[in-house]
Amino acid sequence: MKICIYFIVFLLAGSFNAVGQSEKARLEQQRAAIQAQINQFDKLLTGAKQEQRSVLSQVQTIDAKIAKTQEIITITNKQANLITRSIKENTATIKKLNAEIKELKADYAAMIVKTYKSKNDQSRLMFLLSSESFLQAYKRIQYLQAYADYRKKQADEITIKSNLISEKNKALEKEKLQKAEILAANKKLRDNLARDKAAQVVLLNEVKKDEKKYAAEIRSKARERDKIDREIRKIIEADIAASNKGKVGATKGKFFLTPEAKELARNFQSNRGKLPWPVSEGVITRRYGVQPHPVLRNLPIQSSGYRFQTPNGAIARAVFDGEVVQIVKQNNGILMIHVRHGNFTTSYGNMKNVTVRKGQKVNTLTPLGEIFTDRDGVTELHFAILEELEPQDPARWLLSK
């Protein structure tokens, strides 16, 4: 019964340890992913300062970096707390094992003394010969064998538990080092956060000095964005009309799909949440939906997709298999690419040039062209996903990083 209880406790301890290790791995993965994004923000900010980009651009980037830094500080706090709990558990286990070994050694020592006192062959022989029957002699032989086995088992258990203590001590030292590293990283992050917030205050004060000018600039860009959204809608409406022309059973406002296009749409939909980013490196500087402007909070922004800020010269890439159905050139020479995936369309705006042609079949990660860099030195891809005419939140479709 006692052995059974020990076995259950051992299994539960192993299970809790596995859960703890899994949580550690998950947090470390999150920390690494966010750190990669912070590194991207640092890269963009360094470029912004070197190229003397607009204050608005710098404020938006530093604002996003601050948010990510706060996220990673929260994660490192969780990591430190998890390691602290693990250290306490290991310390308690080591203390318990030491007590058990002390008790085992005392029992073992008493048994050795007893065995020594009766170890000569003559006493054992007399013990057997004094048996009243053959059955009693047989049972006495079994007793002596069991006694010897038990002594060996105790010796083995002392060795096993001693080895376990050694392993636990090594794990404890390792965890203490990990905690020290995590706390050092946390302190560095907090120092960086304080510097970024100080820089943000300086930049925001500069914006406030000429708030009307920046507000007018933001509103102008909002009108330009709305115009582009209307153009995208018109283009897709024309594409839907062209796909339905002369088709029996076509539905107004919906693409007429061939069996191959239906299969492509099903595949696209089944990959929701798994699509790669349309850029190999970069950060999201604007998300989907209505949101306050990161600089002038009283100016709401309506976003029909994502904006990815990337290093200069970055290439946009297809997020899924499909067909290039439109390459639109705007009045200012900026290009936009539409890729069809059945009744879904992905739009890649603010392109400097394209490396694909209309009607070309593309695969996931096929390069589409170079992203445009504006006069402020900002390289930003405008990305959108639409089902028929309905804009979709890219957060539901793209891999989270």
Short mmCIF file of all heavy atoms in Angstrom, two decimals, residues 111 115 124 127-128 136-154:
data_model
loop_
_atom_site.label_atom_id
_atom_site.label_comp_id
_atom_site.label_asym_id
_atom_site.label_seq_id
_atom_site.Cartn_x
_atom_site.Cartn_y
_atom_site.Cartn_z
N MET A 111 20.56 -2.47 11.12
CA MET A 111 20.46 -3.79 10.50
C MET A 111 21.85 -4.40 10.30
O MET A 111 22.05 -5.61 10.50
CB MET A 111 19.74 -3.67 9.15
CG MET A 111 19.39 -5.01 8.52
SD MET A 111 18.49 -4.77 6.99
CE MET A 111 16.98 -4.08 7.61
N THR A 115 23.14 -7.81 11.86
CA THR A 115 23.64 -8.85 10.96
C THR A 115 25.05 -9.27 11.38
O THR A 115 25.40 -10.45 11.37
CB THR A 115 23.67 -8.34 9.50
OG1 THR A 115 22.36 -7.95 9.15
CG2 THR A 115 24.14 -9.42 8.54
N ARG A 124 23.91 -19.37 12.02
CA ARG A 124 22.87 -19.54 11.01
C ARG A 124 22.48 -21.01 10.89
O ARG A 124 21.29 -21.34 10.76
CB ARG A 124 23.37 -19.02 9.65
CG ARG A 124 23.50 -17.52 9.58
CD ARG A 124 23.85 -17.08 8.20
NE ARG A 124 24.09 -15.65 8.16
CZ ARG A 124 24.37 -14.98 7.05
NH1 ARG A 124 24.48 -15.62 5.91
NH2 ARG A 124 24.56 -13.68 7.10
N PHE A 127 20.47 -22.01 13.77
CA PHE A 127 19.14 -21.43 13.62
C PHE A 127 18.26 -22.34 12.76
O PHE A 127 17.09 -22.57 13.05
CB PHE A 127 19.25 -20.03 13.01
CG PHE A 127 17.93 -19.36 12.76
CD1 PHE A 127 17.08 -19.04 13.82
CD2 PHE A 127 17.53 -19.04 11.47
CE1 PHE A 127 15.86 -18.40 13.58
CE2 PHE A 127 16.32 -18.41 11.23
CZ PHE A 127 15.49 -18.09 12.29
N LEU A 128 18.86 -22.92 11.71
CA LEU A 128 18.11 -23.81 10.81
C LEU A 128 17.90 -25.19 11.44
O LEU A 128 16.82 -25.77 11.35
CB LEU A 128 18.85 -23.94 9.47
CG LEU A 128 18.95 -22.68 8.61
CD1 LEU A 128 19.83 -22.92 7.39
CD2 LEU A 128 17.56 -22.24 8.16
N GLN A 136 9.23 -25.61 8.99
CA GLN A 136 9.77 -24.47 9.74
C GLN A 136 11.17 -24.11 9.26
O GLN A 136 11.51 -22.93 9.15
CB GLN A 136 9.79 -24.81 11.24
CG GLN A 136 10.12 -23.58 12.10
CD GLN A 136 10.16 -23.91 13.57
OE1 GLN A 136 10.92 -24.79 13.98
NE2 GLN A 136 9.34 -23.21 14.36
N ALA A 137 11.97 -25.10 8.96
CA ALA A 137 13.32 -24.85 8.43
C ALA A 137 13.25 -24.10 7.10
O ALA A 137 14.02 -23.17 6.84
CB ALA A 137 14.07 -26.18 8.27
N TYR A 138 12.31 -24.55 6.27
CA TYR A 138 12.14 -23.90 4.95
C TYR A 138 11.74 -22.43 5.11
O TYR A 138 12.25 -21.55 4.44
CB TYR A 138 11.09 -24.67 4.15
CG TYR A 138 10.77 -24.04 2.81
CD1 TYR A 138 11.71 -24.05 1.77
CD2 TYR A 138 9.55 -23.40 2.60
CE1 TYR A 138 11.43 -23.46 0.55
CE2 TYR A 138 9.26 -22.81 1.38
CZ TYR A 138 10.21 -22.84 0.35
OH TYR A 138 9.93 -22.25 -0.84
N LYS A 139 10.82 -22.20 6.08
CA LYS A 139 10.36 -20.82 6.32
C LYS A 139 11.50 -19.96 6.87
O LYS A 139 11.61 -18.78 6.57
CB LYS A 139 9.18 -20.81 7.27
CG LYS A 139 7.88 -21.29 6.62
CD LYS A 139 6.70 -21.14 7.55
CE LYS A 139 5.40 -21.51 6.82
NZ LYS A 139 4.21 -21.38 7.70
N ARG A 140 12.37 -20.58 7.71
CA ARG A 140 13.50 -19.82 8.25
C ARG A 140 14.50 -19.46 7.14
O ARG A 140 15.10 -18.38 7.17
CB ARG A 140 14.18 -20.63 9.36
CG ARG A 140 13.35 -20.67 10.64
CD ARG A 140 14.06 -21.39 11.78
NE ARG A 140 13.27 -21.33 13.00
CZ ARG A 140 13.67 -21.76 14.18
NH1 ARG A 140 14.88 -22.29 14.31
NH2 ARG A 140 12.89 -21.66 15.24
N ILE A 141 14.66 -20.37 6.17
CA ILE A 141 15.53 -20.06 5.01
C ILE A 141 14.96 -18.87 4.24
O ILE A 141 15.69 -17.96 3.84
CB ILE A 141 15.67 -21.30 4.09
CG1 ILE A 141 16.51 -22.38 4.79
CG2 ILE A 141 16.31 -20.91 2.76
CD1 ILE A 141 16.50 -23.71 4.07
N GLN A 142 13.62 -18.90 4.03
CA GLN A 142 12.95 -17.79 3.32
C GLN A 142 13.13 -16.47 4.08
O GLN A 142 13.34 -15.41 3.49
CB GLN A 142 11.46 -18.10 3.15
CG GLN A 142 11.16 -19.13 2.06
CD GLN A 142 9.67 -19.31 1.87
OE1 GLN A 142 8.92 -19.44 2.83
NE2 GLN A 142 9.25 -19.30 0.62
N TYR A 143 13.03 -16.56 5.42
CA TYR A 143 13.18 -15.37 6.25
C TYR A 143 14.57 -14.76 6.09
O TYR A 143 14.74 -13.56 5.94
CB TYR A 143 12.92 -15.72 7.72
CG TYR A 143 13.35 -14.65 8.68
CD1 TYR A 143 12.63 -13.47 8.84
CD2 TYR A 143 14.53 -14.81 9.44
CE1 TYR A 143 13.04 -12.48 9.71
CE2 TYR A 143 14.96 -13.82 10.32
CZ TYR A 143 14.21 -12.65 10.44
OH TYR A 143 14.63 -11.67 11.30
N LEU A 144 15.59 -15.63 6.16
CA LEU A 144 16.97 -15.15 6.01
C LEU A 144 17.20 -14.51 4.65
O LEU A 144 17.88 -13.49 4.52
CB LEU A 144 17.95 -16.32 6.22
CG LEU A 144 18.07 -16.86 7.65
CD1 LEU A 144 18.91 -18.13 7.66
CD2 LEU A 144 18.67 -15.80 8.59
N GLN A 145 16.59 -15.13 3.58
CA GLN A 145 16.73 -14.59 2.23
C GLN A 145 16.02 -13.24 2.11
O GLN A 145 16.55 -12.28 1.54
CB GLN A 145 16.14 -15.59 1.21
CG GLN A 145 16.33 -15.16 -0.25
CD GLN A 145 17.79 -15.03 -0.62
OE1 GLN A 145 18.59 -15.93 -0.34
NE2 GLN A 145 18.16 -13.92 -1.22
N ALA A 146 14.80 -13.18 2.69
CA ALA A 146 14.03 -11.93 2.65
C ALA A 146 14.76 -10.83 3.40
O ALA A 146 14.79 -9.66 2.99
CB ALA A 146 12.64 -12.16 3.24
N TYR A 147 15.38 -11.19 4.53
CA TYR A 147 16.13 -10.22 5.33
C TYR A 147 17.30 -9.65 4.52
O TYR A 147 17.55 -8.43 4.52
CB TYR A 147 16.62 -10.92 6.60
CG TYR A 147 17.21 -9.99 7.63
CD1 TYR A 147 16.39 -9.21 8.45
CD2 TYR A 147 18.60 -9.90 7.80
CE1 TYR A 147 16.93 -8.37 9.40
CE2 TYR A 147 19.14 -9.05 8.75
CZ TYR A 147 18.30 -8.29 9.55
OH TYR A 147 18.82 -7.45 10.49
N ALA A 148 17.99 -10.56 3.82
CA ALA A 148 19.12 -10.14 2.98
C ALA A 148 18.66 -9.26 1.83
O ALA A 148 19.28 -8.24 1.49
CB ALA A 148 19.86 -11.38 2.45
N ASP A 149 17.53 -9.65 1.20
CA ASP A 149 16.98 -8.86 0.09
C ASP A 149 16.57 -7.46 0.56
O ASP A 149 16.79 -6.46 -0.14
CB ASP A 149 15.76 -9.57 -0.52
CG ASP A 149 16.14 -10.83 -1.28
OD1 ASP A 149 17.35 -10.98 -1.60
OD2 ASP A 149 15.26 -11.66 -1.56
N TYR A 150 15.93 -7.42 1.74
CA TYR A 150 15.48 -6.13 2.27
C TYR A 150 16.66 -5.21 2.55
O TYR A 150 16.63 -4.01 2.29
CB TYR A 150 14.67 -6.35 3.54
CG TYR A 150 14.13 -5.08 4.15
CD1 TYR A 150 13.17 -4.31 3.50
CD2 TYR A 150 14.61 -4.62 5.38
CE1 TYR A 150 12.69 -3.14 4.05
CE2 TYR A 150 14.14 -3.45 5.94
CZ TYR A 150 13.17 -2.70 5.26
OH TYR A 150 12.70 -1.53 5.80
N ARG A 151 17.73 -5.79 3.09
CA ARG A 151 18.94 -5.01 3.36
C ARG A 151 19.52 -4.43 2.06
O ARG A 151 19.91 -3.27 1.99
CB ARG A 151 19.97 -5.90 4.05
CG ARG A 151 21.16 -5.11 4.62
CD ARG A 151 22.10 -6.02 5.34
NE ARG A 151 22.74 -6.95 4.41
CZ ARG A 151 23.52 -7.96 4.78
NH1 ARG A 151 23.70 -8.20 6.07
NH2 ARG A 151 24.07 -8.73 3.89
N LYS A 152 19.53 -5.28 1.01
CA LYS A 152 20.04 -4.82 -0.30
C LYS A 152 19.13 -3.72 -0.87
O LYS A 152 19.60 -2.73 -1.44
CB LYS A 152 20.10 -6.00 -1.27
CG LYS A 152 20.69 -5.63 -2.63
CD LYS A 152 20.76 -6.84 -3.53
CE LYS A 152 21.41 -6.49 -4.87
NZ LYS A 152 20.72 -5.43 -5.58
N LYS A 153 17.80 -3.91 -0.70
CA LYS A 153 16.85 -2.93 -1.19
C LYS A 153 17.06 -1.58 -0.52
O LYS A 153 17.00 -0.52 -1.15
CB LYS A 153 15.42 -3.43 -0.94
CG LYS A 153 14.34 -2.51 -1.48
CD LYS A 153 12.96 -3.05 -1.15
CE LYS A 153 11.88 -2.06 -1.59
NZ LYS A 153 10.53 -2.51 -1.22
N GLN A 154 17.30 -1.62 0.81
CA GLN A 154 17.56 -0.37 1.53
C GLN A 154 18.82 0.32 1.02
O GLN A 154 18.85 1.55 0.84
CB GLN A 154 17.68 -0.65 3.02
CG GLN A 154 16.34 -0.72 3.74
CD GLN A 154 16.51 -0.67 5.24
OE1 GLN A 154 17.31 -1.40 5.80
NE2 GLN A 154 15.76 0.21 5.89
#
